[in-house]
Amino acid sequence: MHEFKSKRNSLYCENIKVLDLAKRFGTPLYVYSYHTLIGHFLKLKTAFHSLNPLICYSLKANSNLAILKALVDKGAGLDIVSGGELFRATQAGCPGERIVYASVGKTDREIEEAIHRKILFFNVESAAELENINRISKKLNTSTQVAIRINPDVEPKTHKYITTGKLTNKFGIDFKSAYQIFLLRRALSYVRISGIHIHIGSQITEAEPYLAAIKKVIEFVETLRKKGIFLEYLNIGGGLGIVYDRETPQTAENFAKKVLPLLKRSKLKIILEPGRFIVGNAGILVTRVLYIKNTPKKKFVIVDAAMNDLIRPALYGAYHTIIPLHCTPYTVHRTEKIDIVGPICESGDFFAKDRNLPKLKEGDFLAIMGAGAYAFSMASNYNSRCRAEEVLVVKDEVFIIRKREVREDLVRNEIVPAFLSGL
Ligand code: PLP
C-alpha cells in the first residue's frame, strides 16, 4: 500500500531510514514518500482508465507546492475551495481547465479571480451563489461554466464531522431546488450549467453510499434529459477511505468495478476529487519522546509534536498507528498501556489513549502513520509553536519542501500600535 516499510527493525521511507531523517532534520518532522503519492494517483487513474476521467486532487488534504507540482506533472487537476487554494494551484502550474472550485461561501473577489483564471467550472452550492456568479460574469462580460452541487441525502457511514451529503449538512442543493434552478436557468444568461457535482463525505470505506448517491443523481440527469436539458460533466467528488487502523477500505480497483457501470450509463465526462486517498498514507509525522510521566491512574508519554501538528485525534477522536523507531524484537515483546500526548495546554492534545506500545524512554522517536492528509494542511501555531518542517523522499534522496518555521515567523504580521510602544 505504501513505501513506509520496516526493514531489519527500522522504519524506512523508500530507501531512507526514518530515524536518520529525524536526527538530521529534527522533530516534529513530516516525511512524505514521493512514490506512494504518485502510486496512489496512478492506481485511481488505472482503475478508471476506461472512462478517462479528470482526477482533480483535492488540495485541502495537503497543499504543499511540491506535492501539488508532483501530481499536476502527472496529469492531475485540482479541486479547490478558496482564493488561497487558487493561488497555490497557479503557483503549481495547474492549467485552468483542470481546476474545479467548490465551497459554500465563495466571495466576490474569489469568484472574479477564478473567472480570470478560466477554471473548468465552479461547483455551485446555493441558488444565491449561482445568481452572484451570474452577476459577476455579466459585469466581466463573460459566460461562466458551473456544475450544481447536489446534496443527495445519503448516509456515508463516516464520522459526523466529515459527512457532507445529508440534508442536515450545509453543503449542496437538494434535488427539488436543483430542478427549479434548471427550469429557471435561462434567466441567468451569463452562466452555463453543464454538470452535476456530489461529494458525500470523507474516509468512506464502502462503495454502497457512492452507489446510492450516483443512482439518485443519474435518475435526476435522465429526468433533465427528458426535459431537453443536457449536461456534460458528472463530478462524483472525493471521500475514498484509507487504512488508519483496522479499516478494510475498498481498493481503487474494487471501487471502480462497482461504480463504473453506473458512471458509463450516465454518458457524461467523469471527474473525481480524491484527497485523502492520494496523500493520506504518503506521509508520516515523526516525533521525539520528551518525558515519561506516571500518575496514580495513567502513564503518559509526552512527545514534542502536538495537536497543532496533527489535529485529527483531537478533532474526530481519529486513530493513527504509532511505530517506535527504535523497535527490536526484544522491545516489541515488552509492551505497556500508555497515553501519548503533546505539550499543548489542552486535554484534547493526544495522539493515542490506552495504547499498547513497546516500553518507551526519553529521547526515543515515534512515527505517527497516516499523517499525509489533513495534518500539515490543518496545522496551526497554537501555543505559539512553530510549524514543523516537511521533507519529501524520492528513493535515496530527500528534499526539504517546507522549512521549519522560526520564532520571527510567529510575530511577522503583528503590529504593536505606537501608543503601546511609548512613541
Ligand atoms: N471534494 C470536496 C468538495 C471536499 O469538500 C473534499 C473534502 O472535504 C474532498 C473533495 C476530498 O475529500 P477526501 O480527502 O476525503 O477525498
Side-chain angles (χ1 to χ4, degrees), residues 40-106:
H40 283 143
F41 172 69
L42 294 178
K43 265 184 198 150
L44 262 185
K45 205 171 151 70
T46 310
F48 281 87
H49 79 277
S50 59
L51 280 178
N52 192 24
L54 175 61
I55 302 179
C56 290
Y57 166 66
S58 190
L59 72 87
K60 63 177 78 63
N62 185 323
S63 51
N64 185 289
L65 283 184
I67 301 281
L68 303 185
K69 184 81 172 71
L71 291 166
V72 167
D73 282 357
K74 294 286 172 197
L78 296 174
D79 156 49
I80 63 166
V81 288
S82 70
E85 288 195 349
L86 180 66
F87 177 74
R88 285 185 178 276
T90 304
Q91 294 279 304
C94 187
E97 68 270 16
R98 284 199 246 148
I99 299 174
V100 291
Y101 189 162
S103 160
V104 291
K106 305 171 186 86

Side-chain angles (χ1 to χ4, degrees), residues 58 60-61 79 81 102-103 123 125 149 164 171 197 199 201-203 237-240 273-277 373-374:
S58 190
K60 63 177 78 63
D79 156 49
V81 288
S103 160
N123 291 315
E125 309 235 14
R149 177 167 179 176
T164 54
F171 303 98
H197 171 230
H199 171 72
S202 196
Q203 186 54 14
L240 287 173
E273 297 174 338
R276 191 189 306 273
F277 179 85
Y374 305 106

Side-chain angles (χ1 to χ4, degrees), residues 238-253:
L240 287 173
I242 62 169
V243 181
Y244 285 108
D245 183 11
R246 286 186 206 121
E247 302 92 342
T248 46
Q250 55 207 329
T251 60
E253 207 181 341

Side-chain angles (χ1 to χ4, degrees), residues 86 228 318 360 419:
L86 180 66
L360 295 167
F419 81 94

Side-chain angles (χ1 to χ4, degrees), residues 209-222:
Y210 285 98
L211 292 173
I214 296 170
K215 264 185 207 147
K216 283 187 174 188
V217 161
I218 288 180
E219 275 169 28
F220 184 63
V221 169
E222 282 165 0

Side-chain angles (χ1 to χ4, degrees), residues 240-345:
L240 287 173
I242 62 169
V243 181
Y244 285 108
D245 183 11
R246 286 186 206 121
E247 302 92 342
T248 46
Q250 55 207 329
T251 60
E253 207 181 341
N254 285 341
F255 175 60
K257 261 190 205 142
K258 290 196 177 148
V259 298
L260 272 174
L262 268 178
L263 296 180
K264 283 184 179 160
R265 201 177 107 193
S266 79
K267 299 194 182 68
L268 297 172
K269 282 187 201 154
I270 301 301
I271 296 179
L272 286 88
E273 297 174 338
R276 191 189 306 273
F277 179 85
I278 290 181
V279 76
N281 281 329
I284 62 173
L285 175 62
V286 185
T287 183
R288 188 168 59 87
V289 176
L290 295 176
Y291 301 105
I292 309 285
K293 175 171 173 174
N294 286 297
T295 75
K297 299 239 163 156
K298 288 233 170 204
K299 182 164 188 173
F300 292 102
V301 171
I302 302 163
V303 295
D304 65 358
M307 63 190 280
N308 74 301
D309 303 300
L310 174 63
I311 202 172
R312 298 188 66 256
L315 201 57
Y316 320 124
Y319 182 99
H320 285 263
T321 297
I322 297 181
I323 301 178
L325 297 184
H326 66 292
C327 262
T328 63
Y330 174 70
T331 52
V332 168
H333 287 110
R334 292 183 61 231
T335 64
E336 58 181 354
K337 203 175 258 187
I338 52 165
D339 279 16
I340 299 183
V341 299
I344 281 184
C345 311

